[in-house]
Amino acid sequence: MELILAIGIGVLAGSGVFLLLRPRTFQVIVGLSLISYAVNLFIFSMGRIRLNAAPVLNPAANDPALYTDPVPQALVLTAIVIGFAMTALFLVVLLASRGFTGTDHVDGRER
Amino acid sequence: MSGDQFPLWAAIAVSVLLVAGSLLTLAGCIGMVRFRSFYQRIHAPTIGTSFGTIFILAGSVVYFTVTQLRPAVHEVLIFVFVSVTTPVTLMLLARAALYRDRIERDPDVPPSKDPLDNAEMEASKQAPRRPAVKEA
Amino acid sequence: MSSEVLLTVLIVLPFLSSLVAGSLPANARNAEVWLAGAVALIGLAITISFYPDVTGGEVVRYEIPWLPSAGLNLIIRMDGFAWIFSMLITGIGFLVVLYARYYMSPKDPVPRFFAFFLAFMGAMLGVVTSGNIIQLVVFWELTSVTSFLLIGYWYHNANARDGARMALTVTAIGGLALLVAMLLVGHVIGSYDLEAVLASGNTLREHPLYTTILILMLLGAFTKSAQFPFQFWLPRAMAAPTPVSAYLHSATMVKAGVFLLVRFWPVMAGTDQWFWIVSSAGLITLVMGAYAAIFQQDLKGLLAYSTISHLGLITTLLGMGTPLAAVAAIFHIVNHATFKASLFMAAGIIDHETGTRDLRRLSGLFKYMPFTGTLAIIASAAMAGVPLLNGFISKEMFFTETAIRNPNMFANLALPIGAIVAGIFSVAYALRFVYGVFFGPQPTDLEKVPHEPPSLMRIPIEVLVLICLIVGIIPGIAIGPYLATAVVAVLGQDTPHYSLSIWHGFNLPLLMSIGALIGGVILYIMLRPYLALGLEGPPLMRRLVGQRIFERILVTISWKWAKTVERWAGTRRLQPQLFLLVLICVVTAWFALRPGFEPVKLQLGGWDPGFVILWMVGIFCAIAAAHQAKYHRLASLILMSGAGLVTCMTFVWFSAPDLAVTQLLVEIVTTVLILLGLRWLPKRFQKGDTDHTALRTKLRRYRDIVLGVFAGGGVAALSYAIMTRTAVPDGISRFFLERAYTEGGGTNVINVMLVDFRGFDTFGEIAVLGVVAITVFALLRRFRPAADSVEKPEQQRIQNAYDDLRPNRQSGDTVNEYLMIPSVIMQWMFPVIIVLSAYIFLRGHDLPGGGFAAGITMSIGFILQYMAGGTRWVEDRLRILPVKWIGTGLLIALATGLGAWVFGYPFLTMAFQYADLAIIGKVPMATALFFDLGVFVLVVGATVLILIALAHQSVRSPKAARSTVLPTHAVEPPPEPALETTAVETPALEIPGGAS
Amino acid sequence: MSRILPYPLLTLSLLVLWLLLQQSASPGHILLGLVAALLASRAMAALQPEKPRVVRFLPIFRLVGRVVVDILASNIAVSRLILNPNSDMTKSGFLTVPLVLKDRFGLAILSCIVTATPGSAWLEYNPEESEVLIHVLDIENDQEWIDTLKNRYEILLLEIFG
Amino acid sequence: MSQIILFWSVLACEAILALAMACAAYRLARGPRAQDRVLSLDAFYVSGMLLLVTFGIRTGTTLYFEAALIIGTLGFVSTLALAKFLMRGEVIE
Amino acid sequence: MSFLDHLIIMPILLPLGAAALTLLFDETRREVKAGINFAATILLIAIAIALLVQTDAVTREGTELTITYRLGNWPAPFGIVLVADRLSAIMVLLTGILGINALIYSMARWQAAGPHFHMLFQMLLMGLNGAFLTGDLFNLFVFFEVMLAASYGLLLHGSGVLRVRAGLHYIAINLAASSLFLIGVSLIYGVTGTLNMADLALRIPHVPANDLGLLHAGAAILGIAFLVKAGMWPLNFWLPTTYAAASAPVAGLFAIMTKVGVYIVLRLTLLLFGEHAGASFGFGQTFLLIGGLATIAFGTVGVLASQSTGRLAGYSVLVSSGTLLAAIGMGDRAVTGGLLFYLVSSTLTISAFLMLVELVERARVAGADVLAVTMEAYGEDDEDLEHEEEVGVVIPSTMAILGVCFALCGLLLSGVPPFSGFISKFAMLSAVLQSEDAASPIPASTWWLIGLLIISGLASLIAMTRTGIATFWATLEGPTPNVRVIEIAPIAILIVLCLGLTVAGGPVLHFMDLAADALHTPTDYIEDVIGTTPAASAGGAS
Ligand code: NA
Ligand code: NA
């Protein structure tokens, strides 16, 4: 399972990096989104993955060993929110750039 | 899986429901692959959203009712929402596809009955526009 | 007054009065002169008052703490040598002020002039009285800066600008070298105190860094004193007003270089390196300067090269390394200052009275200005080394030193020959000056009839020439004790016996003097026909113009090369920048990883077929999305959603329901958002890649794929490595699991962390969301679509045309029919989604959910209405004020956090209790809920604002950005459509009930 | 009444939704749910939606029954078609069905039923001609489709919405 | 016994649903038209939702239900937006 | 807890509250927003000074005490902790000072160039202060994002093709860097199980040998993210363009943005990889040294090659960053004091210069350009123009004052004595040299540092002279630019502060040396953060 997840993270990150380096703004925004999936999963994986051990407590049986590590999850949540905000911002900036320059090239001019 | 006290009949029922539901859903998705035109494909996913969903949710209801000793009704909500929203999506999508195909004069699609259609479609194509787009 | 106060006044007064001078009105010429003159005189008086304290090698020191921890305190240190320099600076300074009163035109804005002048005087005094070698550099650089301003005083003149810039550049280079030298001296000796440095000559000379220090120090001295090969800036500095030249290039600025050589003579001189470098540079300068001076056509140019030559003489003397030579050098410093200052002033008077300094046009002026003529002749004679004048004595001492038999060949041959040649040249140029200007035929093409200047303007020259005479005739009385004071201060116990009498008998130096005089006369007579040609520049060296070479080097290095290197080492394109970022990250992470990393053992087993297939699908989607993103945006977006869903499912799989829910909601909103944007992007069609550029593109693509593989592989390896390690046993997570319920009051640890344990993160996170929403809003207010996106999308145009053509239809009927049935369901989902949102909000603390998820849900409800009914339809019915919601949300969260202060707890301390309410029963009441409410309100506001601001672009009557290539950003938009500001911003806060 | 409780049925449904979501019918949840439902229906009122006018309620249950049975049958039929490697995939086609039903809600429900049934899809409703274009997977028995639509569903819907 | 039956059936169910997702993903990438992709995205989401329900049975908790519920309730919004984009070239007018 | 105990969190809460408050007012009431902004910024400075006094006072008594604040009353390392020592306090004060001056400048015209300027402005202050005060690695990420988000908004403030184009690059690069930040932080968490910086410092020496590589990889990735912000070559090509594109007051405020990267690199290298870090001691130092030197070199080249004053200013930022990074790379306690002095001095200078650039550009092509700038500020036909009167007095002898400011900026930037630019460079170089034994040869790195510092100063001098002469000496004709007192005053204030640093060099340097000592010996920091108990039993304050 760890291997599969790791490969998945790697592919998401790799595809994202490839897109990040492309000349069109749309490619970059898709790349950034893929990277953010990868990063979120990466952070998540730092807590070691566990099946069926959600961090919702059962007040009756409060043994920390029964639950997953909540810290990475909290971090991922913050990262998701910030990632969402940044995607929105980048989208609008790329639209504005396209509007001003007439092109969707990342440099604002065709090369 | 909680414990051995789970009754056999329920286990069998849940299993059957789950497998049946998932197989139906799979069948729908295979249809997505096999059907040749979009209008055929549009029939496929409804298998999954109708009885595929019903069976699997029923399995879930049985399972949780037995294990938690109280009725699990969440599934009903899922079913209601899925069966309300899926047709809406499909209708909008199908109508959009129809429109797109008509613009491109797909011979397999019934044209609008309106006799003016052809002339004005030409006219609208005179308007400054880029070549027809295959994609989005 | 105590000596401390006096010393402080000596240094500080010029700077303070500089500020005063600069703030006087432009026409305050006399006030400026009174001020500057008074400052100079006070300085002179103070200096004189220190005479008793510094005779016999005594030193007066005053230390003011400045940067004690870095070993840099201000030490004002007056010894004999500093004293004699201070005399020159203040004395000649006073005379120059007086002279400038008459020289400067009433139209000139003299406040600036005197401000710079006084600052320069202060800097110069600072240099000579520095008791700390870093402090010396400080004032040294200040002289560079202030002299730059003085030289560039007439900046409307291109020559002045260039001359000033060159002087600054050259002397600043030297100054920085000097700084390094001093830092190294400090490193070697362990102190920057001049006293300590002067006491450590042996340490310094024997240190391996000696040569480095020497070279750096000489760079400073040579640039300042215009020694070969840095002599070229000085003639260009002649563009300065003459008072400036008279001051800077006789007594002060250029003397700073030789001052430095003398100052460090006791510790640095006496080695082979010193001898070779200093004396050869000095000798070359001496001869070359004198040679070039003969052929100058500009009066001040002649004096400038003569100055170079005399400085070369002083440098040569210092280079010899013998105490007697040092005495001669110090003596010549003083002598040169007096006669050269008077000559510059005389040249200025000539310029002033005739309107030209060109030797080709000047002639026979003695008849018109006999007084000035006489003074200039005497001063020139001093410069030429004619007996009974001060120049003679020091020059004779120079000849004496060169004539001494020396163990090495260079000294035996080159020095005396060079000395005598230079002597001949100096006589020749002095003659040229005197004869060319004052004698010969009547001047013809002068703009005005020359006459004597105002007598007060002559006083400074008269004083100086008088000094030349007195010192030349009775040196022992006139200068002897003072010179001795200076010499002892430098040489201390090494002070040799020397005599300052005019007559030493008939000896070799005298012969050399006579030879030089006769040779000079002969040379001048021989050269007269050539000089009559009026050619610019000296023969043989005409094409070797130092300043031009320097300029060219400077431009090449500082402009052309810099531009090339900038282009080569940098880029303005985004792709290479991102490539480098990723590459560097991969490489550094790899290097960091290498030590202490055990390769991980593959752990197979525990395979979950569903999960494996799921991720195969996810991987497929990710790669396909990357593949399609260029030409098939919609496909790419859909595939990306696929990968996103797989990510959500993974969160579920590994027990993170909160993440799954949040990611899912964000996923939906993001898709809608990007779709809203797609409309404004250009259509893109697949082209065949055929030509040469396609190959490059392809190669770049392969390169990027390789980097992507490495980056992805790296991330995968890192995550695999961590996942297969056991968790850190004493990590912080246990704390949260143990206390979330008992002390945080919630069973959903994630939510308790978000609103309580790490509530501050959430606090910042909502701030980010708010800021981004506001930014988006602000940016979109100025949004201009590109020309080809202005029109409505093709589909709408066709559909509207269809409707318009039919009498029974209205524009928009097609879309209404299209949405007629679906919109019913979409509208009725609205209250359902609101209830769902409330549900998600409330259950957050105990089960997956919370303010953020609820907020996003709510905004999806809004967006659904916009999709169903259109912008106008919704905004006719609902008043949405997202900006205010953002503000309110932030304030709610803030207030919740601040609430804890009332109870004496830190910010964001949450309280919880199970409230036993009448009907409802036991209900957990955590203040965290209020915090979460703030989050909810903000998230709704921000998300809705972003989506609506974007959606609004379609209903505005958009005007395209005018052109893609407009050079400035001056093109600005037409006014906003009212819709934007009113509907989204103005009315009061209320959701429902806007309609009635 | 209408000002405080503009859509009583909606409010009630929302309350039920709330209770289903909470899986609890404690007084507290009823109270909370009521608050949520009231707020939500107030919000709905702002949108000024068209209200459905239900004349008779009983046929609703008959309709549901028929739909469930039909959908199950179609599920099997279509699945069989898909999974049978030799099945003929060319028999699908378009059908135009004239309708009597005009009520927007009725049409909405009808369209949902048609689309939710595997094998038929609602494409385009033409209000002028009052006819609908549907696509069916098995065009062979086109009259059967039209009959189902008109006799099994439309009649009931006409009863419900008058 | 019942546990074994359940274990295997749930596992099989998961695999089958994942396969269904794979089929949808195939159409997602293959197209050929945008409407095909949108359609398959919808199917993809529904299969995913069912997978979540199944997963809930496997782990025996209802914690994962919200995710399924949200797909069921709100998942259609993005598909809807895509459909409207195809029809009108714009999501919100 | 008394009010004074909450002082440390005020630099974060105050701007947030002010920002939120401005949102409640419509765009038409810009004066109110400006007033809120102004009041909040002034108050921020007061708080920062109080904090500075507090952090300094504790040491005067002989015991090092770092001020800590446990958010939510949760004990460290579990909850988030704010930590203030001298360095943090000075950075917060610096933020306030730059803020107030940029704000004053913006009130002349720029605040009206787009909506919600004041909100974004305060949010940037909040992000900066948060980054300077937090003691938690992930919370640092959050504040970085607040800061970046606000900086995006401010950079784009005024819109226009140049800003949007530069903004796209700036945002893309920073988004990538943020991803690296997350990967780095989480990897470090994965290895050590903690996020608190002080706790990390405690745990790093005990990281098992075969986890060390992972830890270092995390630190390296994290470091790259910081170095993008700090502007290290070759991660800094975006910077000159961005700074040149930003409106003047924004650029003036941005002067501290690179310093955040430098601050955190300095803080973390010394805290995590200092003398007590065991096997990890000195991690990354060589990299920083080489990168810093390369950055100085590149900045120097850019300074020389710049045609526009805006880019010249941008490259000056790089020189400053490079100097700081290289000085950090020296890893020498004595150098650190000088580098802190340099940090403050160069930030003030660059801020003044970045704001001055616009005025100078106005002077350069007076007339046409003024029109362009005004048009840009207001929009040709923006309604804002009408109720924005020319309140300030147009100063006479504008050119003279601009010239003086420009000259002083040039002297400060190029490190010409005796100004603070010189003092700080001298303090660093002197420390580098004095710390070496006089008998042993000077290492190559020291030579490089000396050489590059000197050459970069010279290059600045050459470039500034070139530009200054072209602007102030070579052009005489044309109307004098329209410059208002409230535009030149903030620049003058900043320059005067630099001059103040010159005069008060001794005490300031002493303060910086103490700050450096605390950085190099973080035991007290760690003890104060981890050691003390929270105010009461955590949790229930019902
Ligand atoms: Na019509
Ligand atoms: Na169907």
Side-chain angles (χ1 to χ4, degrees), chain B residues 37-90:
Chain B
S37 82
F38 170 77
Y39 300 98
Q40 289 176 329
R41 280 178 218 131
I42 205 159
H43 302 290
T46 45
I47 303 178
T49 58
S50 53
F51 271 87
T53 307
I54 289 175
F55 284 153
I56 289 178
L57 290 176
S60 174
V61 169
V62 171
Y63 178 81
F64 284 107
T65 313
V66 171
T67 52
Q68 303 197 339
L69 302 174
R70 67 189 175 94
V73 285
H74 254 134
E75 288 81 352
V76 179
L77 291 175
I78 293 187
F79 173 71
V80 168
F81 287 124
V82 167
S83 30
V84 167
T85 56
T86 311
V88 175
T89 319
L90 294 182

Side-chain angles (χ1 to χ4, degrees), chain C residues 803-811:
Chain C
D803 293 339
D804 288 339
L805 275 172
R806 277 158 193 74
N808 58 338
R809 292 174 74 88
Q810 287 178 341
S811 190

